[in-house]
Amino acid sequence: MRVPLSWLREYVDLPAGETGRDVATKLVDAGLEVETVEQLGGGLKGPLVVGRVLTIEELEGFRKPIRFCTVDVGQANGTGEPQEIVCGARNFAVGDKVVVVLPGAVLPGDFAIASRKTYGRTSHGMICSGDELGMGDDGTHGIIVLPPEYEVGTDAIELLQLVDEVLDIDITPDRGYCMSMRGVAREAATAYGLPLRDPALLDVPAPNSYGYPVKIDDPAGCDRFTARTVTGLDPDARSPIWLTRRLQKAGMRPISLAVDITNYVMLELGQPLHAYDRSSIDGTIGVRRAEQGEKFTTLDGVKRTLDAEDLVITDNSGPIGLAGVMGGANTEIADSVTDPGTGQVTGTTDVVIEAAHFDSVSISRTARRLKLSSEASKRFERGVDPQAAAAAAQRTVDLLVLLAGGTAEAGVTQIIAPGAPRTIAMGADHPDRVAGMEYGRETVVRRLQEIGCDVYGQDELVVTVPSWRPDLAEPNDLAEEVIRLEGYGNLPSTLPQVPSGRGLTARQQLHRRVGRALAGSGYVEALSYPFIGEGVFDQLQLPAHDVARQVVKLVNPISDEEPALRTTLLPGLLGALRRNDSRGSHDLALFETGSVFRAADRPGVAVRLPVDRRPTDEEIATLNAALPAQPRYAAVVLAGAREQAGWWGKGRPADWADAVQAARALAVEAGAELVVRQGQYGPWHPGRCAELVVTVGGVEQVIGHAGELHPRVVKAMGLPARTSAMELDLDRLAAAGGEALQAPRISSFPVATQDVALIVDASVPASAVEAALRKGAGELLESLRLFDVFTGEQVGEGKKSLAYALRFRAADRTLTAEESTAARDAAVALAGERTGAVLRGA
């Protein structure tokens, strides 16, 4: 909600010296979210005046139409002579009043104006458009043409209200009444302790039987409907400058007088309105639910298919408006048209004004389903004051009569469904108990009365909620109002005392260690949304029966393109890598840890938990049983250089081995033994994919994969060439580890190193040879490292040589050469037995 400070002052007598930032500070303290304070006309300097076009000469020989004009600016130029100006705009003619900026002036953006030679003529100033003055869109994208009544030489800065401050307020869903000047003014008046001039306090005629006929078939969807008729409007009447400027400052584009007035009243009072061309309405106006599949064309020219839940405004011909969202094209206010022969102006002369109150849930569902969010629907979704409808209709009628020369018909239609004011019983000390500080009954009653409540009682208060506050429904809501108006900053700050022995769980500690280990290895953490579209599985080349394709879909997703919860972290991480690469960051190493969601074979149905008591253990268990499994995963993605080139060396690119090493680092943090062997799965290159395996309860489990991505996946997802990735199940990795990490024992005795080179068949995985060596070497083996792989004529066709460095050490003695050699021979023997390995050169 954009709130011009000059408009706000009409309803609250703010102190003369108060700036927009001062007002914003007060409103923030009262609980409103003021995002920015925009300074309109900042740096603007005159002379900027009204001028009248005297002559126009069309200049030839240029790529675009250019006009050389003389403009009467009175004595503003110091001479009284016509001002010569070159202009390229075409939307003005001789005799029109325009806005002229003279040499020496400065426009917004520090644009200094001076006389200059252009297109073979000297231009002494500019004829201005709204964009050049920072006024916003007026729909013409051309020169400002003023009404003829303004005198030549008038100061245009004051006339066009170019200098102002505008507060941009982010209205939360529970503060819908602040989507109006009336609501924000009420908050400002309360914050400053000043009286409010309520613009809704108007003399409204009582309803009578000869108003425009209206029939409501669905009182639950529309509990209040006011209709007023104004006839004899001047179709050539234009919105005055003060009206268009207020709309522009509030972020709305002027359209036509009748539409501008309804928008203005909506901004002023918060009540959405709609004006129908009376000549286009066929009979009684009705309110009903749409028929399933019914067709309707809205004002934006789109033909829409309606649902049986949609609320529509109708006449005898069918729908003429989508209630609370948008009007219909068939009853649109007609633009004025001038007959070139006779000069007669035709257009809408009679209008019917609708001011109604609709069910917020119904409007919200319609707007979301049709993807048709409008200023009206935004307000109805958040709650509109039902009692403001009659005042808004009267205000609209008054403005139409004043500005368009119309006549208000005596008939007043007002249909109101039976209802009673909402009351809430609350202890007078309830806000004290919620806030943890003492306010006292007097303060509580005063603050509730300031927001419009009627309060009765002593120790037990009975509070009647004002009609414009549908968000106040229980005692805690009232307590919140007292607390925010007394100031959140005045609440006592007390740090909670943590009971001893209740630190992080083992699972939480592992997640922290994992994050630190990856960050220490040069990875940057990225947080992605947990939503995906099912099309990403095709990009990842997952088979049709893959368990990752069994997704949990959301009933009301944020984006229809991503309606499911993720089953893998890779899409989000790869998307982050792609975005960063496209922005010039080519050397990337990203990681993420987070939950994925696995659909159950039989989806459960969640129970609705009570709010008036603590749920029972059975209810909580039933709710948990309905939730999908949510294991914790870890993933990394890499591209570009892993080590930068410099004076220290050539550097090297990231490859599949880095992805595998990331998995090994996580296994160390979990205290688990990770087996890495050749694998093949979905997005990974079949020849450069490692399968990550752990043993849990004596059973081997594949917990993830690592390696280089398949070229087809890289192309489909727009990734850098040779992108690598790793993903594994952290929960199962933790299950394979011990209860607690064991600190390494450091021996003070020397190490004995033995190197062996084994020849095996080319098809034998190095991991199998390593496992056999580790098993055969026994307890004396401290570490085992593969440091060379060789193929060639020396080892024979279809063979390869694997060279390992074995380190032996005892905790209690210095090993003899015989002991280390015996351990090495035992390792080689078992490797030969299991994999057919033979010592090279033997």
Side-chain angles (χ1 to χ4, degrees):
M1 176 70 186
R2 290 173 56 84
V3 179
L5 191 60
S6 59
W7 195 355
L8 184 63
R9 289 182 182 276
E10 282 199 4
Y11 312 119
V12 184
D13 289 326
L14 299 174
E18 287 293 278
T19 66
R21 295 193 179 278
D22 296 332
V23 177
T25 300
K26 286 283 190 178
L27 293 179
V28 168
D29 290 342
L32 291 181
E33 298 180 15
V34 182
E35 294 191 332
T36 60
V37 179
E38 183 179 348
Q39 303 288 332
L40 299 185
L44 179 64
K45 176 184 175 184
L48 190 72
V49 299
V50 176
R52 182 170 64 88
V53 179
L54 300 177
T55 64
I56 297 177
E57 178 186 350
E58 300 289 345
L59 301 183
E60 305 292 340
F62 300 103
R63 293 183 181 179
K64 60 180 182 179
I66 298 297
R67 312 166 98 186
F68 181 68
C69 310
T70 59
V71 186
D72 178 12
V73 295
Q75 296 299 318
N77 58 4
T79 65
E81 296 295 324
Q83 200 79 1
E84 296 180 339
I85 298 175
V86 175
C87 183
R90 315 288 297 175
N91 67 313
F92 65 96
V94 172
D96 282 345
K97 298 288 182 66
V98 293
V99 177
V100 179
V101 56
L102 300 177
V106 179
L107 295 184
D110 199 25
F111 180 32
I113 303 299
S115 297
R116 66 189 183 98
K117 191 170 183 179
T118 179
Y119 296 102
R121 303 293 179 96
T122 299
S123 182
H124 301 280
M126 286 175 52
I127 301 176
C128 297
S129 68
D131 289 336
E132 290 165 338
L133 298 179
M135 294 173 58
D137 183 16
D138 62 358
T140 65
H141 300 289
I143 293 302
I144 301 171
V145 178
L146 299 171
E149 62 266 21
Y150 295 107
E151 293 185 7
V152 168
T154 302
D155 183 4
I157 295 178
E158 183 178 351
L159 174 66
L160 299 177
Q161 305 170 24
L162 297 179
V163 179
D164 202 350
E165 293 181 275
V166 178
L167 282 64
D168 193 349
I169 305 176
D170 184 13
I171 306 300
T172 53
D174 62 329
R175 307 290 288 277
Y177 67 97
C178 284
M179 293 194 74
S180 66
M181 295 300 303
R182 179 194 185 202
V184 176
R186 180 176 284 108
E187 290 297 316
T190 302
Y192 279 94
L194 297 171
L196 169 71
R197 288 188 291 274
D198 191 345
L201 296 180
L202 301 175
D203 291 330
V204 179
N208 50 56
S209 59
Y210 42 93
Y212 198 93
V214 175
K215 179 184 179 183
I216 297 179
D217 294 330
D218 191 338
C222 176
D223 58 6
R224 188 178 294 253
F225 196 107
T226 299
R228 300 289 299 275
T229 304
V230 181
T231 60
L233 301 178
D234 179 4
D236 198 32
R238 296 290 182 266
S239 299
I241 290 176
W242 66 266
L243 177 58
T244 60
R245 288 299 293 133
R246 285 190 171 178
L247 291 177
Q248 288 174 324
K249 291 176 185 180
M252 301 189 75
R253 179 172 62 87
I255 298 174
S256 65
L257 179 57
V259 176
D260 291 348
I261 288 174
T262 58
N263 286 336
Y264 177 83
V265 175
M266 177 183 68
L267 291 172
E268 185 178 50
L269 301 181
Q271 169 67 52
L273 302 111
H274 189 70
Y276 299 95
D277 187 332
R278 181 175 179 178
S279 63
S280 301
I281 301 177
D282 181 11
T284 301
I285 292 177
V287 183
R288 62 169 172 81
R289 296 289 173 175
E291 298 175 2
Q292 186 66 38
E294 192 170 11
K295 306 294 183 182
F296 173 62
T297 303
T298 46
L299 278 173
D300 55 2
V302 178
K303 190 172 185 179
R304 304 182 185 276
T305 302
L306 303 182
D307 187 85
E309 287 191 357
D310 296 335
L311 201 63
V312 293
I313 312 298
T314 64
D315 64 4
N316 292 340
S317 64
I320 60 173
L322 200 54
V325 180
M326 186 175 287
N330 51 351
T331 56
E332 182 180 7
I333 301 295
D335 293 332
S336 61
V337 178
T338 303
D339 189 312
T342 63
Q344 183 179 1
V345 179
T346 58
T348 299
T349 58
D350 301 338
V351 296
V352 176
I353 305 300
E354 165 209 306
H357 184 261
F358 302 110
D359 175 57
S360 59
V361 174
S362 176
I363 302 305
S364 177
R365 287 176 176 172
T366 297
R368 290 176 184 271
R369 187 182 61 79
L370 295 176
K371 297 181 177 63
L372 188 61
S373 180
S374 64
E375 292 294 333
S377 68
K378 291 176 185 177
R379 286 165 172 78
F380 279 120
E381 287 173 2
R382 290 165 172 79
V384 169
D385 180 6
Q387 295 187 14
Q394 182 62 46
R395 177 73 164 137
T396 304
V397 169
D398 292 343
L399 289 173
L400 285 172
V401 171
L402 175 67
L403 301 178
T407 301
E409 288 195 351
V412 177
T413 302
Q414 190 172 46
I415 300 177
I416 302 174
R422 286 177 296 112
T423 60
I424 302 173
M426 180 186 74
D429 63 343
H430 183 69
D432 300 359
R433 290 186 283 111
V434 171
M437 63 182 296
E438 184 176 348
Y439 293 118
R441 179 188 178 281
E442 183 179 346
T443 298
V444 170
V445 171
R446 174 172 56 85
R447 288 304 190 182
L448 292 179
Q449 289 174 339
E450 286 177 350
I451 65 172
C453 295
D454 291 330
V455 186
Y456 304 96
Q458 292 298 319
D459 294 339
E460 189 71 20
L461 303 179
V462 177
V463 182
T464 302
V465 176
S467 58
W468 58 82
R469 293 300 301 271
D471 57 303
L472 303 180
E474 59 179 30
N476 285 337
D477 297 329
L478 300 178
E480 181 184 0
E481 292 298 298
V482 175
I483 295 169
R484 76 173 179 88
L485 293 178
E486 283 294 303
Y488 291 119
N490 296 325
L491 291 176
S493 177
T494 305
L495 293 176
Q497 295 183 352
V498 181
S500 60
R502 293 190 182 182
L504 298 176
T505 65
R507 188 170 187 257
Q508 292 169 331
Q509 291 174 348
L510 173 61
H511 296 163
R512 289 199 175 185
R513 292 200 305 272
V514 163
R516 289 171 181 156
L518 292 175
S521 299
Y523 290 87
V524 177
E525 186 172 16
L527 300 177
S528 56
Y529 288 113
F531 312 114
I532 57 173
E534 294 182 83
V536 75
F537 299 129
D538 295 329
Q539 294 179 327
L540 294 175
Q541 297 194 121
L542 296 185
H545 60 278
D546 195 284
V547 67
R549 287 183 177 269
Q550 299 174 13
V551 297
V552 177
K553 291 188 177 180
L554 301 174
V555 175
N556 188 20
I558 295 177
S559 169
D560 289 340
E561 296 179 357
E562 296 181 331
L565 293 174
R566 66 187 178 191
T567 56
T568 168
L569 301 179
L570 289 182
L573 265 183
L574 293 174
L577 184 141
R578 179 179 62 249
R579 285 191 297 275
N580 283 276
D581 180 73
S582 68
R583 288 163 172 76
S585 298
H586 304 302
D587 303 324
L588 296 162
L590 308 177
F591 84 92
E592 182 176 9
T593 63
S595 297
V596 299
F597 305 85
R598 300 292 189 186
D601 294 335
R602 293 183 178 180
V605 178
V607 297
R608 187 181 295 274
L609 296 181
V611 296
D612 57 342
R613 60 174 174 80
R614 184 189 182 280
T616 64
D617 293 341
E618 292 77 11
E619 289 172 331
I620 295 175
T622 303
L623 179 64
N624 289 334
L627 298 176
Q630 301 176 40
R632 186 89 174 186
Y633 272 39
V636 304
V637 294
L638 307 99
R642 185 65 174 140
E643 295 177 3
Q644 295 291 337
W647 58 266
W648 53 84
K650 295 182 179 179
R652 69 174 182 84
D655 61 15
W656 62 270
D658 295 300
V660 174
Q661 183 56 35
R664 287 196 171 104
L666 301 191
V668 170
E669 296 300 327
E673 182 177 346
L674 183 71
V675 176
V676 180
R677 61 193 183 199
Q678 186 176 3
Q680 183 172 343
Y681 178 69
W684 281 277
H685 191 296
R688 302 185 185 119
C689 175
E691 193 174 67
L692 310 176
V693 181
V694 295
T695 301
V696 180
V699 180
E700 284 192 347
Q701 295 184 9
V702 178
I703 64 168
H705 295 82
E708 182 180 318
L709 296 182
H710 198 288
R712 284 198 290 268
V713 174
V714 169
K715 181 179 180 181
M717 302 191 75
L719 303 172
R722 310 303 290 266
T723 298
S724 299
M726 180 278 294
E727 183 176 35
L728 57 75
D729 187 332
L730 265 184
D731 289 345
R732 286 197 284 173
L733 180 66
E739 290 295 326
L741 287 177
Q742 296 294 324
R745 291 182 299 173
I746 300 176
S747 173
S748 60
F749 295 96
V751 67
T753 302
Q754 298 273 2
D755 293 345
V756 295
L758 303 177
I759 298 176
V760 296
D761 290 338
S763 60
V764 175
S767 60
V769 178
E770 180 179 331
L773 289 173
R774 193 178 298 277
K775 180 71 174 177
E779 295 181 355
L780 294 179
L781 181 66
E782 183 179 80
S783 67
L784 174 66
R785 179 174 63 88
L786 174 67
F787 65 86
D788 184 55
V789 179
F790 175 76
T791 58
E793 295 180 359
Q794 294 90 332
V795 297
E797 185 178 356
K799 302 288 185 178
K800 62 182 177 182
S801 171
L802 304 176
Y804 291 91
L806 291 79
R807 292 168 56 92
F808 299 98
R809 196 193 313 253
D812 57 350
R813 68 187 187 282
T814 299
L815 292 178
T816 64
E818 291 78 9
E819 287 178 307
S820 62
T821 300
R824 181 203 66 183
D825 292 343
V828 171
L830 187 59
E833 178 183 334
R834 290 187 175 182
T835 66
V838 296
L839 278 172
R840 185 174 175 181

